[in-house]
Amino acid sequence: SQQGEEDPQALSIQEGENATMNCSYKTSINNLQWYRQNSGRGLVHLILIRSNEREKHSGRLRVTLDTSKKSSSLLITASRAADTASYFCATQGAQKLVFGQGTRLTINP
Amino acid sequence: GAVVSQHPSRVICKSGTSVKIECRSLDFQATTMFWYRQFPKQSLMLMATSNEGSKATYEQGVEKDKFLINHASLTLSTLTVTSAHPEDSSFYICSARGPVRADTQYFGPGTRLTVL
C-alpha cells in the first residue's frame, strides 16, 4: 500500500515564485527521498534526507523532515518553467522504497 | 552517477502475446533490482523485488505467473509480461541497488507498454 501522501495534488504558480510540497507518511523510515518526473519520462532523484536529519539543501531545493509528525516538505525557490513536472516523495524502510501519490507542479511563464 | 538502462523504451503488442523488458545496470553490480508499474497520472507501485540468483519477491496482488522476473546476473534483470491484455498497458520502471549504498536506488528511464 502507498505510504506517502502528498499535498497538494496539483500546484500552479507563476515563474519566480516559490513552490512548497508536503509529504506525510505512516511508519518509521530510514530515509525519505524526493524525485521529479517529467511527463512520460523516468525519475530524477533530487535529494535524500536521513531520519536523523531535519533539513537539507541542494541548489534551489530545500527539504525538511519532521519524524515526530511523520512529514516532509520540499521547497523549490525562484521557480522556473523547467521545474514543471510531477514530484514524488518516497520513504525508504528496511527494504522497500514506497512512493507517495505525487504533486503535479505547473510553472506559468 | 550510476546508470540504469531499459530496453525497449516503447513496445506495442497484440493481446495474448508476451513481452520481455530488460533492465541493465551499466556501471555497477546490482545486487537487488526492483520493478515498478505506473498508470497514467498515478504514482509508482512496486511490483516485485529481485535479488541476483534467487526468486523474486512479489507484492501483494501482483501475479507472479503473469509477470515473470529473472535476475540471472548482477547487471541484468528481465520482466516478462505473459499473455498481455489491454489492462496491462502501463509504464514499467526498473531500479537497481548496488552493494555499497543500500539506501540508493538508480532508476531506469522506463518502458511504455501498450497492449492492443
Side-chain angles (χ1 to χ4, degrees):
Chain A
S1 60
Q2 291 295 123
Q3 174 163 249
E5 294 183 3
E6 293 187 58
D7 157 57
Q9 291 187 354
L11 178 62
S12 181
I13 60 174
Q14 293 300 119
E15 193 167 20
E17 294 180 341
N18 296 341
T20 299
M21 290 158 271
N22 302 295
C23 170
S24 62
Y25 57 94
K26 297 176 182 175
T27 62
S28 61
I29 61 173
N30 291 334
N31 64 68
L32 186 145
Q33 303 175 36
W34 285 89
Y35 290 83
R36 184 183 72 222
Q37 185 181 37
N38 289 82
S39 182
R41 307 293 292 274
L43 294 176
V44 175
H45 183 264
L46 296 177
I47 200 164
L48 180 154
I49 186 165
R50 301 187 191 285
S51 60
N52 61 353
E53 297 176 311
R54 292 297 168 259
E55 187 171 313
K56 207 161 183 180
H57 298 255
S58 176
R60 294 185 294 114
L61 306 180
R62 173 177 168 257
V63 168
T64 63
L65 178 64
D66 187 335
T67 52
S68 66
K69 294 181 179 179
K70 291 186 168 57
S71 67
S72 175
S73 67
L74 170 66
L75 168 68
I76 303 174
T77 60
S79 63
R80 305 168 181 169
D83 295 330
T84 294
S86 291
Y87 291 82
F88 295 94
C89 69
T91 51
Q92 176 74 61
Q95 286 291 330
K96 304 176 193 176
L97 191 63
V98 179
F99 285 82
Q101 293 297 328
T103 294
R104 190 168 184 83
L105 175 65
T106 302
I107 308 299
N108 302 304
Chain B
V3 178
V4 175
S5 69
Q6 278 184 244
H7 177 79
S9 58
R10 292 177 180 270
V11 57
I12 300 173
C13 69
K14 293 182 179 180
S15 186
T17 60
S18 295
V19 174
K20 180 184 285 187
I21 303 169
E22 292 186 350
C23 177
R24 292 182 186 274
S25 57
L26 299 184
D27 51 2
F28 69 101
Q29 293 186 329
T31 51
T32 305
M33 285 186 167
F34 304 86
W35 287 96
Y36 296 84
R37 180 168 53 184
Q38 184 181 32
F39 292 109
K41 299 190 188 303
Q42 294 188 24
S43 186
L44 281 75
M45 296 294 293
L46 180 64
M47 299 175 67
T49 302
S50 73
N51 293 298
E52 187 266 337
S54 62
K55 290 184 178 180
T57 302
Y58 289 81
E59 294 300 300
Q60 191 173 7
V62 178
E63 300 174 57
K64 61 181 180 181
D65 294 331
K66 180 170 183 61
F67 299 99
L68 301 179
I69 292 173
N70 185 291
H71 191 167
S73 78
L74 284 171
T75 59
L76 174 64
S77 176
T78 60
L79 168 67
T80 301
V81 183
T82 63
S83 187
H85 290 281
E87 57 265 31
D88 298 323
S89 298
S90 187
F91 195 51
Y92 291 87
I93 304 175
C94 73
S95 70
R97 185 172 69 194
V100 177
R101 293 192 60 185
D103 59 5
T104 301
Q105 291 183 30
Y106 301 95
F107 283 82
T111 296
R112 174 76 59 193
L113 170 64
T114 303
V115 185
L116 302 177

